[in-house]
Amino acid sequence: MDRDQVLLSLGKPVRKVRETIEGEETEDWIYGTPPGRIVFVTFKGNKVIKVKETYAGLGSEAPPLPPPR
């Protein structure tokens, strides 16, 4: 997925965080607020490279999302 597709699917993120590790820049779009479900969508360039769903403040982590069809 690209950024426009994520915006259409999930809407505007609560927060965005950029970081550079070993010369590679990534950007996380964060959806949700604690306590409760938080979704992290990680971009490299314009493409999603990782989606992580967790439950902040509830002591458990959600199972991974199924691969797109």
Side-chain angles (χ1 to χ4, degrees):
M1 294 179 85
D2 64 24
R3 294 171 190 266
D4 290 336
Q5 292 169 322
V6 172
L7 284 171
L8 287 171
S9 297
L10 299 175
K12 187 177 176 181
V14 174
R15 228 173 81 178
K16 295 180 183 180
V17 177
R18 286 187 181 175
E19 63 183 359
T20 303
I21 299 174
E22 296 180 11
E24 289 191 18
E25 186 174 307
T26 60
E27 182 173 280
D28 285 316
W29 287 11
I30 303 167
Y31 293 88
T33 56
R37 179 175 165 239
I38 310 286
V39 176
F40 298 87
V41 180
T42 304
F43 292 91
K44 183 176 176 184
N46 194 39
K47 298 292 179 190
V48 173
I49 59 168
K50 182 170 81 171
V51 176
K52 179 181 176 185
E53 183 176 20
T54 188
Y55 290 87
L58 300 178
S60 64
E61 190 167 310
L65 296 173
R69 295 182 187 192

Short mmCIF file of all heavy atoms in Angstrom, two decimals:
data_model
loop_
_atom_site.label_atom_id
_atom_site.label_comp_id
_atom_site.label_asym_id
_atom_site.label_seq_id
_atom_site.Cartn_x
_atom_site.Cartn_y
_atom_site.Cartn_z
N MET A 1 0.84 -1.19 0.00
CA MET A 1 0.00 0.00 0.00
C MET A 1 0.88 1.24 0.00
O MET A 1 1.99 1.23 0.52
CB MET A 1 -0.89 0.04 1.25
CG MET A 1 -1.93 -1.06 1.32
SD MET A 1 -2.92 -0.98 2.84
CE MET A 1 -4.16 0.19 2.35
N ASP A 2 0.34 2.31 -0.55
CA ASP A 2 1.04 3.59 -0.48
C ASP A 2 0.31 4.51 0.51
O ASP A 2 -0.69 4.12 1.11
CB ASP A 2 1.19 4.22 -1.86
CG ASP A 2 -0.14 4.59 -2.51
OD1 ASP A 2 -1.14 4.79 -1.80
OD2 ASP A 2 -0.17 4.68 -3.75
N ARG A 3 0.82 5.71 0.69
CA ARG A 3 0.26 6.63 1.68
C ARG A 3 -1.21 6.98 1.41
O ARG A 3 -2.01 7.04 2.35
CB ARG A 3 1.11 7.90 1.74
CG ARG A 3 2.50 7.64 2.28
CD ARG A 3 3.40 8.87 2.12
NE ARG A 3 4.77 8.54 2.42
CZ ARG A 3 5.34 8.70 3.61
NH1 ARG A 3 4.66 9.21 4.60
NH2 ARG A 3 6.60 8.35 3.80
N ASP A 4 -1.55 7.21 0.15
CA ASP A 4 -2.95 7.54 -0.18
C ASP A 4 -3.89 6.39 0.16
O ASP A 4 -4.99 6.61 0.68
CB ASP A 4 -3.08 7.90 -1.66
CG ASP A 4 -2.43 9.23 -1.99
OD1 ASP A 4 -2.30 10.08 -1.09
OD2 ASP A 4 -2.07 9.42 -3.17
N GLN A 5 -3.46 5.15 -0.09
CA GLN A 5 -4.30 4.00 0.21
C GLN A 5 -4.49 3.84 1.72
O GLN A 5 -5.58 3.49 2.18
CB GLN A 5 -3.69 2.73 -0.39
CG GLN A 5 -3.75 2.73 -1.90
CD GLN A 5 -2.92 1.61 -2.52
OE1 GLN A 5 -1.84 1.29 -2.04
NE2 GLN A 5 -3.43 1.03 -3.59
N VAL A 6 -3.45 4.10 2.50
CA VAL A 6 -3.57 4.03 3.95
C VAL A 6 -4.52 5.12 4.46
O VAL A 6 -5.37 4.86 5.31
CB VAL A 6 -2.19 4.14 4.64
CG1 VAL A 6 -2.33 4.25 6.15
CG2 VAL A 6 -1.32 2.94 4.27
N LEU A 7 -4.40 6.32 3.92
CA LEU A 7 -5.32 7.40 4.32
C LEU A 7 -6.76 7.03 4.02
O LEU A 7 -7.66 7.29 4.83
CB LEU A 7 -4.95 8.71 3.62
CG LEU A 7 -3.73 9.44 4.17
CD1 LEU A 7 -3.34 10.60 3.26
CD2 LEU A 7 -3.98 9.94 5.58
N LEU A 8 -7.01 6.42 2.86
CA LEU A 8 -8.37 6.01 2.52
C LEU A 8 -8.86 4.89 3.43
O LEU A 8 -10.04 4.84 3.77
CB LEU A 8 -8.44 5.56 1.05
CG LEU A 8 -8.35 6.67 0.01
CD1 LEU A 8 -8.22 6.07 -1.39
CD2 LEU A 8 -9.57 7.57 0.09
N SER A 9 -7.97 4.00 3.84
CA SER A 9 -8.36 2.86 4.67
C SER A 9 -8.52 3.22 6.14
O SER A 9 -9.48 2.80 6.78
CB SER A 9 -7.30 1.75 4.58
OG SER A 9 -7.22 1.26 3.28
N LEU A 10 -7.57 3.96 6.69
CA LEU A 10 -7.55 4.21 8.13
C LEU A 10 -7.80 5.66 8.52
O LEU A 10 -7.98 5.95 9.70
CB LEU A 10 -6.19 3.78 8.71
CG LEU A 10 -5.84 2.30 8.57
CD1 LEU A 10 -4.42 2.04 9.07
CD2 LEU A 10 -6.84 1.44 9.31
N GLY A 11 -7.74 6.57 7.56
CA GLY A 11 -7.92 7.98 7.87
C GLY A 11 -6.61 8.63 8.27
O GLY A 11 -5.53 8.07 8.12
N LYS A 12 -6.72 9.82 8.83
CA LYS A 12 -5.54 10.59 9.25
C LYS A 12 -4.99 10.01 10.56
O LYS A 12 -5.74 9.76 11.50
CB LYS A 12 -5.95 12.05 9.46
CG LYS A 12 -4.82 12.97 9.74
CD LYS A 12 -5.30 14.40 9.85
CE LYS A 12 -4.15 15.30 10.24
NZ LYS A 12 -4.58 16.68 10.39
N PRO A 13 -3.67 9.80 10.64
CA PRO A 13 -3.09 9.25 11.87
C PRO A 13 -3.12 10.27 13.01
O PRO A 13 -3.15 11.48 12.79
CB PRO A 13 -1.64 8.94 11.47
CG PRO A 13 -1.35 9.86 10.34
CD PRO A 13 -2.65 10.06 9.61
N VAL A 14 -3.08 9.74 14.23
CA VAL A 14 -3.01 10.59 15.42
C VAL A 14 -1.66 11.28 15.48
O VAL A 14 -1.56 12.44 15.85
CB VAL A 14 -3.23 9.73 16.70
CG1 VAL A 14 -3.01 10.56 17.95
CG2 VAL A 14 -4.61 9.11 16.68
N ARG A 15 -0.60 10.54 15.09
CA ARG A 15 0.77 11.05 15.16
C ARG A 15 1.61 10.45 14.06
O ARG A 15 1.33 9.36 13.59
CB ARG A 15 1.37 10.64 16.50
CG ARG A 15 2.05 11.74 17.23
CD ARG A 15 2.46 11.31 18.59
NE ARG A 15 3.71 10.56 18.47
CZ ARG A 15 4.37 10.06 19.48
NH1 ARG A 15 3.90 10.20 20.68
NH2 ARG A 15 5.48 9.42 19.31
N LYS A 16 2.67 11.17 13.67
CA LYS A 16 3.66 10.67 12.72
C LYS A 16 5.04 10.83 13.34
O LYS A 16 5.32 11.85 13.96
CB LYS A 16 3.63 11.46 11.41
CG LYS A 16 2.35 11.32 10.62
CD LYS A 16 2.43 12.15 9.35
CE LYS A 16 1.15 12.09 8.57
NZ LYS A 16 1.24 12.91 7.33
N VAL A 17 5.88 9.80 13.16
CA VAL A 17 7.24 9.84 13.72
C VAL A 17 8.21 9.39 12.64
O VAL A 17 8.03 8.33 12.04
CB VAL A 17 7.37 8.91 14.94
CG1 VAL A 17 8.80 8.91 15.45
CG2 VAL A 17 6.40 9.30 16.03
N ARG A 18 9.24 10.21 12.38
CA ARG A 18 10.28 9.85 11.41
C ARG A 18 11.56 9.52 12.14
O ARG A 18 11.88 10.13 13.16
CB ARG A 18 10.58 11.02 10.47
CG ARG A 18 9.53 11.25 9.46
CD ARG A 18 9.99 12.30 8.49
NE ARG A 18 8.94 12.53 7.52
CZ ARG A 18 8.98 13.45 6.60
NH1 ARG A 18 10.03 14.24 6.51
NH2 ARG A 18 7.98 13.59 5.75
N GLU A 19 12.29 8.54 11.60
CA GLU A 19 13.60 8.23 12.15
C GLU A 19 14.50 7.68 11.05
O GLU A 19 14.04 7.14 10.06
CB GLU A 19 13.52 7.26 13.33
CG GLU A 19 12.96 5.90 13.01
CD GLU A 19 12.85 5.03 14.25
OE1 GLU A 19 13.22 5.47 15.36
OE2 GLU A 19 12.39 3.91 14.11
N THR A 20 15.80 7.87 11.26
CA THR A 20 16.81 7.36 10.33
C THR A 20 17.71 6.42 11.11
O THR A 20 18.32 6.82 12.10
CB THR A 20 17.64 8.50 9.73
OG1 THR A 20 16.74 9.42 9.08
CG2 THR A 20 18.64 7.98 8.72
N ILE A 21 17.76 5.16 10.65
CA ILE A 21 18.60 4.15 11.28
C ILE A 21 19.50 3.57 10.21
O ILE A 21 19.01 3.05 9.20
CB ILE A 21 17.75 3.04 11.93
CG1 ILE A 21 16.86 3.62 13.02
CG2 ILE A 21 18.66 1.94 12.49
CD1 ILE A 21 15.89 2.65 13.63
N GLU A 22 20.80 3.68 10.43
CA GLU A 22 21.80 3.18 9.49
C GLU A 22 21.55 3.71 8.08
O GLU A 22 21.63 2.98 7.09
CB GLU A 22 21.85 1.66 9.51
CG GLU A 22 22.30 1.09 10.84
CD GLU A 22 22.35 -0.42 10.86
OE1 GLU A 22 22.24 -1.04 9.79
OE2 GLU A 22 22.50 -0.96 11.96
N GLY A 23 21.21 4.99 7.98
CA GLY A 23 21.03 5.64 6.69
C GLY A 23 19.69 5.40 6.02
O GLY A 23 19.43 5.94 4.95
N GLU A 24 18.81 4.59 6.62
CA GLU A 24 17.48 4.34 6.05
C GLU A 24 16.43 5.13 6.82
O GLU A 24 16.29 4.98 8.03
CB GLU A 24 17.15 2.85 6.11
CG GLU A 24 17.94 2.02 5.14
CD GLU A 24 17.39 0.60 5.03
OE1 GLU A 24 16.23 0.36 5.42
OE2 GLU A 24 18.14 -0.26 4.55
N GLU A 25 15.69 5.98 6.09
CA GLU A 25 14.65 6.79 6.72
C GLU A 25 13.32 6.06 6.65
O GLU A 25 12.91 5.57 5.61
CB GLU A 25 14.53 8.14 6.02
CG GLU A 25 13.57 9.06 6.72
CD GLU A 25 13.54 10.45 6.12
OE1 GLU A 25 14.62 11.05 5.99
OE2 GLU A 25 12.44 10.91 5.78
N THR A 26 12.65 5.98 7.81
CA THR A 26 11.30 5.41 7.87
C THR A 26 10.39 6.40 8.56
O THR A 26 10.84 7.32 9.25
CB THR A 26 11.28 4.07 8.64
OG1 THR A 26 11.73 4.29 9.97
CG2 THR A 26 12.13 3.01 7.96
N GLU A 27 9.11 6.22 8.35
CA GLU A 27 8.11 7.07 9.00
C GLU A 27 7.00 6.17 9.52
O GLU A 27 6.47 5.34 8.79
CB GLU A 27 7.56 8.08 8.01
CG GLU A 27 6.54 9.03 8.62
CD GLU A 27 6.14 10.14 7.67
OE1 GLU A 27 6.90 11.11 7.55
OE2 GLU A 27 5.07 10.01 7.05
N ASP A 28 6.66 6.32 10.81
CA ASP A 28 5.56 5.59 11.41
C ASP A 28 4.35 6.49 11.51
O ASP A 28 4.45 7.63 11.97
CB ASP A 28 5.92 5.12 12.83
CG ASP A 28 6.87 3.96 12.84
OD1 ASP A 28 6.66 3.03 12.05
OD2 ASP A 28 7.82 3.96 13.64
N TRP A 29 3.22 5.97 11.05
CA TRP A 29 1.93 6.62 11.27
C TRP A 29 1.27 5.86 12.40
O TRP A 29 1.16 4.63 12.36
CB TRP A 29 1.08 6.59 10.02
CG TRP A 29 1.55 7.52 8.94
CD1 TRP A 29 2.72 8.20 8.88
CD2 TRP A 29 0.83 7.84 7.75
NE1 TRP A 29 2.78 8.93 7.72
CE2 TRP A 29 1.64 8.73 7.01
CE3 TRP A 29 -0.39 7.46 7.23
CZ2 TRP A 29 1.23 9.25 5.79
CZ3 TRP A 29 -0.79 7.98 6.02
CH2 TRP A 29 0.01 8.88 5.30
N ILE A 30 0.84 6.57 13.43
CA ILE A 30 0.31 5.94 14.63
C ILE A 30 -1.18 6.25 14.74
O ILE A 30 -1.59 7.41 14.71
CB ILE A 30 1.08 6.44 15.87
CG1 ILE A 30 2.57 6.15 15.68
CG2 ILE A 30 0.53 5.78 17.13
CD1 ILE A 30 3.46 6.87 16.67
N TYR A 31 -1.96 5.17 14.87
CA TYR A 31 -3.41 5.27 15.00
C TYR A 31 -3.83 4.74 16.36
O TYR A 31 -3.38 3.68 16.77
CB TYR A 31 -4.11 4.44 13.91
CG TYR A 31 -3.90 4.97 12.52
CD1 TYR A 31 -2.81 4.58 11.76
CD2 TYR A 31 -4.79 5.88 11.97
CE1 TYR A 31 -2.61 5.08 10.48
CE2 TYR A 31 -4.60 6.38 10.69
CZ TYR A 31 -3.51 5.98 9.95
OH TYR A 31 -3.32 6.48 8.69
N GLY A 32 -4.69 5.47 17.07
CA GLY A 32 -5.18 5.05 18.37
C GLY A 32 -4.41 5.72 19.50
O GLY A 32 -3.35 6.30 19.30
N THR A 33 -4.98 5.62 20.70
CA THR A 33 -4.36 6.18 21.89
C THR A 33 -4.52 5.21 23.06
O THR A 33 -5.52 4.50 23.12
CB THR A 33 -4.98 7.54 22.28
OG1 THR A 33 -6.39 7.37 22.44
CG2 THR A 33 -4.72 8.61 21.25
N PRO A 34 -3.55 5.18 23.97
CA PRO A 34 -3.66 4.30 25.13
C PRO A 34 -4.72 4.81 26.10
O PRO A 34 -4.94 6.01 26.15
CB PRO A 34 -2.28 4.36 25.76
CG PRO A 34 -1.42 5.17 24.88
CD PRO A 34 -2.27 5.84 23.87
N PRO A 35 -5.33 4.00 26.91
CA PRO A 35 -5.25 2.55 26.83
C PRO A 35 -6.14 2.06 25.69
O PRO A 35 -7.19 2.64 25.42
CB PRO A 35 -5.79 2.08 28.17
CG PRO A 35 -6.75 3.17 28.58
CD PRO A 35 -6.19 4.45 27.99
N GLY A 36 -5.71 1.03 25.06
CA GLY A 36 -6.49 0.46 23.97
C GLY A 36 -5.64 0.10 22.78
O GLY A 36 -4.42 0.02 22.86
N ARG A 37 -6.29 -0.10 21.67
CA ARG A 37 -5.65 -0.57 20.44
C ARG A 37 -4.84 0.55 19.80
O ARG A 37 -5.33 1.65 19.59
CB ARG A 37 -6.73 -1.05 19.49
CG ARG A 37 -6.21 -1.53 18.18
CD ARG A 37 -7.37 -2.10 17.35
NE ARG A 37 -6.94 -2.25 15.99
CZ ARG A 37 -7.51 -1.66 14.95
NH1 ARG A 37 -8.57 -0.89 15.13
NH2 ARG A 37 -7.05 -1.83 13.75
N ILE A 38 -3.59 0.22 19.44
CA ILE A 38 -2.70 1.14 18.74
C ILE A 38 -2.20 0.42 17.49
O ILE A 38 -1.78 -0.74 17.56
CB ILE A 38 -1.46 1.53 19.59
CG1 ILE A 38 -1.86 1.97 20.99
CG2 ILE A 38 -0.62 2.57 18.88
CD1 ILE A 38 -2.47 3.32 21.08
N VAL A 39 -2.25 1.09 16.35
CA VAL A 39 -1.74 0.52 15.10
C VAL A 39 -0.60 1.42 14.60
O VAL A 39 -0.76 2.63 14.50
CB VAL A 39 -2.85 0.44 14.02
CG1 VAL A 39 -2.28 -0.07 12.71
CG2 VAL A 39 -3.98 -0.46 14.49
N PHE A 40 0.55 0.78 14.32
CA PHE A 40 1.71 1.46 13.76
C PHE A 40 1.85 1.03 12.31
O PHE A 40 1.98 -0.16 12.03
CB PHE A 40 2.99 1.08 14.51
CG PHE A 40 2.99 1.46 15.95
CD1 PHE A 40 2.45 0.62 16.92
CD2 PHE A 40 3.54 2.66 16.36
CE1 PHE A 40 2.45 0.96 18.26
CE2 PHE A 40 3.55 3.02 17.70
CZ PHE A 40 3.01 2.17 18.65
N VAL A 41 1.81 1.98 11.39
CA VAL A 41 2.03 1.70 9.97
C VAL A 41 3.37 2.33 9.61
O VAL A 41 3.53 3.55 9.71
CB VAL A 41 0.90 2.28 9.09
CG1 VAL A 41 1.14 1.99 7.63
CG2 VAL A 41 -0.46 1.74 9.54
N THR A 42 4.34 1.51 9.18
CA THR A 42 5.68 1.98 8.89
C THR A 42 5.89 2.08 7.40
O THR A 42 5.66 1.11 6.67
CB THR A 42 6.74 1.05 9.51
OG1 THR A 42 6.48 0.94 10.92
CG2 THR A 42 8.15 1.60 9.30
N PHE A 43 6.35 3.25 6.95
CA PHE A 43 6.64 3.50 5.53
C PHE A 43 8.13 3.61 5.30
O PHE A 43 8.86 4.14 6.13
CB PHE A 43 6.03 4.84 5.09
CG PHE A 43 4.54 4.86 5.05
CD1 PHE A 43 3.82 5.26 6.17
CD2 PHE A 43 3.86 4.51 3.91
CE1 PHE A 43 2.43 5.30 6.13
CE2 PHE A 43 2.48 4.55 3.86
CZ PHE A 43 1.76 4.94 4.98
N LYS A 44 8.56 3.14 4.16
CA LYS A 44 9.89 3.41 3.63
C LYS A 44 9.63 4.01 2.26
O LYS A 44 9.09 3.33 1.38
CB LYS A 44 10.72 2.13 3.54
CG LYS A 44 12.12 2.36 3.06
CD LYS A 44 12.89 1.06 3.09
CE LYS A 44 14.27 1.23 2.53
NZ LYS A 44 14.97 -0.07 2.47
N GLY A 45 9.95 5.29 2.11
CA GLY A 45 9.54 5.99 0.89
C GLY A 45 8.04 6.17 0.93
O GLY A 45 7.47 6.62 1.92
N ASN A 46 7.36 5.74 -0.13
CA ASN A 46 5.91 5.88 -0.21
C ASN A 46 5.19 4.55 0.04
O ASN A 46 3.98 4.48 -0.07
CB ASN A 46 5.51 6.45 -1.58
CG ASN A 46 4.08 6.92 -1.62
OD1 ASN A 46 3.58 7.51 -0.65
ND2 ASN A 46 3.39 6.65 -2.71
N LYS A 47 5.92 3.49 0.36
CA LYS A 47 5.32 2.16 0.51
C LYS A 47 5.33 1.68 1.95
O LYS A 47 6.30 1.88 2.68
CB LYS A 47 6.08 1.13 -0.35
CG LYS A 47 6.04 1.42 -1.83
CD LYS A 47 4.65 1.26 -2.39
CE LYS A 47 4.62 1.57 -3.87
NZ LYS A 47 3.29 1.66 -4.40
N VAL A 48 4.27 0.97 2.34
CA VAL A 48 4.19 0.36 3.66
C VAL A 48 5.13 -0.83 3.70
O VAL A 48 5.12 -1.68 2.81
CB VAL A 48 2.75 -0.11 3.97
CG1 VAL A 48 2.71 -0.90 5.28
CG2 VAL A 48 1.80 1.06 4.03
N ILE A 49 5.97 -0.89 4.75
CA ILE A 49 6.87 -2.03 4.91
C ILE A 49 6.51 -2.87 6.13
O ILE A 49 6.94 -4.02 6.24
CB ILE A 49 8.36 -1.61 4.98
CG1 ILE A 49 8.60 -0.65 6.14
CG2 ILE A 49 8.81 -1.01 3.66
CD1 ILE A 49 10.07 -0.42 6.45
N LYS A 50 5.70 -2.30 7.05
CA LYS A 50 5.33 -3.06 8.25
C LYS A 50 4.08 -2.46 8.88
O LYS A 50 3.89 -1.24 8.88
CB LYS A 50 6.48 -3.01 9.25
CG LYS A 50 6.25 -3.80 10.52
CD LYS A 50 7.50 -3.92 11.37
CE LYS A 50 7.74 -2.71 12.19
NZ LYS A 50 8.82 -2.85 13.19
N VAL A 51 3.22 -3.34 9.41
CA VAL A 51 2.06 -2.91 10.20
C VAL A 51 2.11 -3.68 11.51
O VAL A 51 2.23 -4.91 11.50
CB VAL A 51 0.74 -3.21 9.47
CG1 VAL A 51 -0.45 -2.84 10.34
CG2 VAL A 51 0.66 -2.47 8.14
N LYS A 52 2.04 -2.96 12.62
CA LYS A 52 2.06 -3.60 13.93
C LYS A 52 0.85 -3.11 14.72
O LYS A 52 0.60 -1.91 14.82
CB LYS A 52 3.35 -3.25 14.68
CG LYS A 52 3.41 -3.87 16.06
CD LYS A 52 4.69 -3.49 16.78
CE LYS A 52 4.68 -4.05 18.18
NZ LYS A 52 5.85 -3.60 18.93
N GLU A 53 0.12 -4.06 15.27
CA GLU A 53 -1.04 -3.73 16.09
C GLU A 53 -0.75 -4.20 17.51
O GLU A 53 -0.30 -5.32 17.72
CB GLU A 53 -2.28 -4.42 15.54
CG GLU A 53 -3.54 -4.09 16.29
CD GLU A 53 -4.77 -4.72 15.67
OE1 GLU A 53 -4.64 -5.69 14.92
OE2 GLU A 53 -5.86 -4.23 15.95
N THR A 54 -0.99 -3.34 18.48
CA THR A 54 -0.75 -3.68 19.88
C THR A 54 -1.86 -3.06 20.73
O THR A 54 -2.62 -2.23 20.25
CB THR A 54 0.65 -3.19 20.32
OG1 THR A 54 0.93 -3.69 21.61
CG2 THR A 54 0.77 -1.69 20.31
N TYR A 55 -1.92 -3.51 21.95
CA TYR A 55 -2.91 -2.98 22.88
C TYR A 55 -2.17 -2.33 24.04
O TYR A 55 -1.76 -3.01 24.97
CB TYR A 55 -3.86 -4.09 23.36
CG TYR A 55 -4.77 -4.54 22.25
CD1 TYR A 55 -4.38 -5.52 21.36
CD2 TYR A 55 -6.01 -3.94 22.06
CE1 TYR A 55 -5.20 -5.92 20.32
CE2 TYR A 55 -6.84 -4.33 21.03
CZ TYR A 55 -6.43 -5.32 20.16
OH TYR A 55 -7.24 -5.70 19.13
N ALA A 56 -1.98 -1.04 23.97
CA ALA A 56 -1.21 -0.30 24.97
C ALA A 56 -1.98 -0.20 26.27
O ALA A 56 -3.16 0.11 26.29
CB ALA A 56 -0.89 1.09 24.45
N GLY A 57 -1.28 -0.50 27.35
CA GLY A 57 -1.87 -0.37 28.67
C GLY A 57 -2.77 -1.52 29.06
O GLY A 57 -3.37 -1.50 30.11
N LEU A 58 -2.89 -2.55 28.20
CA LEU A 58 -3.74 -3.68 28.51
C LEU A 58 -2.95 -4.96 28.74
O LEU A 58 -3.52 -5.99 29.02
CB LEU A 58 -4.77 -3.90 27.40
CG LEU A 58 -5.70 -2.72 27.13
CD1 LEU A 58 -6.63 -3.03 25.98
CD2 LEU A 58 -6.51 -2.39 28.37
N GLY A 59 -1.63 -4.91 28.54
CA GLY A 59 -0.79 -6.06 28.84
C GLY A 59 -0.80 -7.19 27.83
O GLY A 59 -0.40 -8.29 28.14
N SER A 60 -1.28 -6.96 26.61
CA SER A 60 -1.26 -8.02 25.61
C SER A 60 -1.00 -7.42 24.23
O SER A 60 -1.17 -6.24 24.01
CB SER A 60 -2.58 -8.78 25.60
OG SER A 60 -3.63 -7.93 25.20
N GLU A 61 -0.59 -8.28 23.31
CA GLU A 61 -0.31 -7.84 21.95
C GLU A 61 -1.24 -8.58 20.99
O GLU A 61 -1.50 -9.77 21.16
CB GLU A 61 1.15 -8.12 21.59
CG GLU A 61 1.55 -7.47 20.30
CD GLU A 61 3.05 -7.48 20.09
OE1 GLU A 61 3.77 -7.07 21.01
OE2 GLU A 61 3.47 -7.90 19.01
N ALA A 62 -1.74 -7.90 20.01
CA ALA A 62 -2.65 -8.49 19.03
C ALA A 62 -1.90 -9.41 18.09
O ALA A 62 -0.72 -9.21 17.82
CB ALA A 62 -3.35 -7.39 18.24
N PRO A 63 -2.59 -10.40 17.53
CA PRO A 63 -1.94 -11.24 16.52
C PRO A 63 -1.69 -10.44 15.26
O PRO A 63 -2.35 -9.43 15.01
CB PRO A 63 -2.99 -12.34 16.27
CG PRO A 63 -4.28 -11.76 16.72
CD PRO A 63 -3.95 -10.78 17.79
N PRO A 64 -0.70 -10.84 14.44
CA PRO A 64 -0.40 -10.10 13.22
C PRO A 64 -1.57 -10.11 12.25
O PRO A 64 -2.38 -11.03 12.24
CB PRO A 64 0.82 -10.82 12.64
CG PRO A 64 0.83 -12.16 13.29
CD PRO A 64 0.12 -12.02 14.60
N LEU A 65 -1.63 -9.07 11.43
CA LEU A 65 -2.66 -8.97 10.41
C LEU A 65 -2.38 -10.00 9.32
O LEU A 65 -1.24 -10.30 9.01
CB LEU A 65 -2.68 -7.58 9.79
CG LEU A 65 -3.04 -6.43 10.72
CD1 LEU A 65 -2.83 -5.10 10.02
CD2 LEU A 65 -4.48 -6.55 11.17
N PRO A 66 -3.44 -10.55 8.68
CA PRO A 66 -3.21 -11.48 7.58
C PRO A 66 -2.63 -10.75 6.39
O PRO A 66 -2.85 -9.53 6.24
CB PRO A 66 -4.63 -12.01 7.27
CG PRO A 66 -5.55 -10.98 7.80
CD PRO A 66 -4.84 -10.32 8.96
N PRO A 67 -1.87 -11.44 5.53
CA PRO A 67 -1.29 -10.77 4.36
C PRO A 67 -2.40 -10.29 3.42
O PRO A 67 -3.46 -10.92 3.35
CB PRO A 67 -0.43 -11.85 3.71
CG PRO A 67 -0.92 -13.14 4.29
CD PRO A 67 -1.55 -12.84 5.59
N PRO A 68 -2.15 -9.18 2.69
CA PRO A 68 -3.15 -8.68 1.75
C PRO A 68 -3.36 -9.67 0.62
O PRO A 68 -2.46 -10.40 0.23
CB PRO A 68 -2.56 -7.36 1.24
CG PRO A 68 -1.12 -7.42 1.59
CD PRO A 68 -0.95 -8.38 2.71
N ARG A 69 -4.57 -9.67 0.09
CA ARG A 69 -4.91 -10.58 -1.02
C ARG A 69 -4.74 -9.88 -2.33
O ARG A 69 -4.84 -8.79 -2.54
CB ARG A 69 -6.33 -11.07 -0.90
CG ARG A 69 -6.52 -11.92 0.32
CD ARG A 69 -7.90 -12.42 0.36
NE ARG A 69 -8.12 -13.10 1.63
CZ ARG A 69 -9.15 -13.84 1.88
NH1 ARG A 69 -10.07 -14.01 0.99
NH2 ARG A 69 -9.29 -14.41 3.04
#
